[in-house]
Structures are given as C-alpha cells and as structure tokens.
Amino acid sequence: QVQLVESGGGSVQAGGSLRLSCAASGYTLSRYCMGWFRQAPGKERVGVASIHGFGTNYADSVKGRFTISKDTAKNTLYLQMNSLKSEDTAMYYCAAEAPSPMAGGRWFGGAHFGYWGQGTQVTVSS
C-alpha cells in the first residue's frame, strides 16, 4: 500500500522560504515519477513540480524559485520554496505516479499521478 506523508508546511512572510518533505512507503521513488501539486481555496489542484530520474519539470509560476529533489536512500521527496509570494498560498500535496490512470488522478509533466498524501498547508502573508 502506497503511503505519502508530507511535512514542513507553515506560515511565512512574502520573500521567505520553506522546505516541504514527503516520506514514501510502499513505493520506490527511484522507479517512478514523483511530484508536488497545490490547491488554493476554490481552485483546481495543479501541478507545481515533478522529478523522474534526474529530469525535472516546473510550472511557469514557480520556475527559478522552487526546486524539487529526492533522496532515494531515504525514499523522501523534497520541495525547496524560495522567494515565496502570497499567491503561493495553498495546500501542497505530494504525489506519486500511477502505473495506469486512476480516478482522481492528475497529469503533469507527462506523468499521471494517482497516489496522494494528506497535504500540508503553506500560507504566505504579504
């Protein structure tokens, strides 16, 4: 059973930084694509960043500010967020690629993400 557990969210002022972590169990990060999505109140869940091997994808809105990485030895995914803006405020979800499309899944960077964590809130005040 795939389990993804996020941590590291919180409240920060604009211009600040946060680092999100996602511990995975029942799933091998090195074999599949992993990603981060976010959902603001009243909006759709959208892809932020993804990583597969050494390749990464970023949403235009976060390029140059966010960095996705993973530690395969720890089976943990990270998202370093710098120069945070108020529009980055959202619930952030860790996601893992599913071998086939799943209900409730999302596409980003050419991969279909069907496994989700519970989310961690990021609030940026201006």
Side-chain angles (χ1 to χ4, degrees):
Q1 183 178 359
V2 178
Q3 286 193 321
L4 305 171
V5 180
E6 303 99 333
S7 61
S11 297
V12 65
Q13 290 191 328
S17 299
L18 283 173
R19 188 193 196 201
L20 306 183
S21 299
C22 171
S25 59
Y27 192 88
T28 304
L29 267 65
S30 60
R31 294 186 62 188
Y32 301 99
C33 192
M34 296 292 296
W36 289 96
F37 286 68
R38 67 186 181 187
Q39 186 168 18
K43 295 189 176 182
E44 291 288 316
R45 187 174 301 188
V46 295
V48 173
S50 67
I51 184 168
H52 192 183
F54 293 105
T56 57
N57 288 287
Y58 294 95
D60 288 343
S61 59
V62 306
K63 281 181 181 177
R65 300 188 298 122
F66 290 12
T67 303
I68 188 171
S69 62
K70 61 184 179 180
D71 185 331
T72 54
K74 296 181 179 179
N75 224 33
T76 300
L77 181 73
Y78 303 99
L79 184 68
Q80 177 66 44
M81 305 185 295
N82 298 328
S83 303
L84 283 161
K85 305 175 181 179
S86 56
E87 51 262 44
D88 295 318
T89 294
M91 185 72 78
Y92 283 71
Y93 296 91
C94 175
E97 183 181 16
S100 59
M102 298 174 64
R106 295 285 190 277
W107 289 93
F108 181 76
H112 178 83
F113 294 88
Y115 302 108
W116 303 93
Q118 81 288 351
T120 185
Q121 178 67 38
V122 171
T123 302
V124 184
S125 58
S126 56

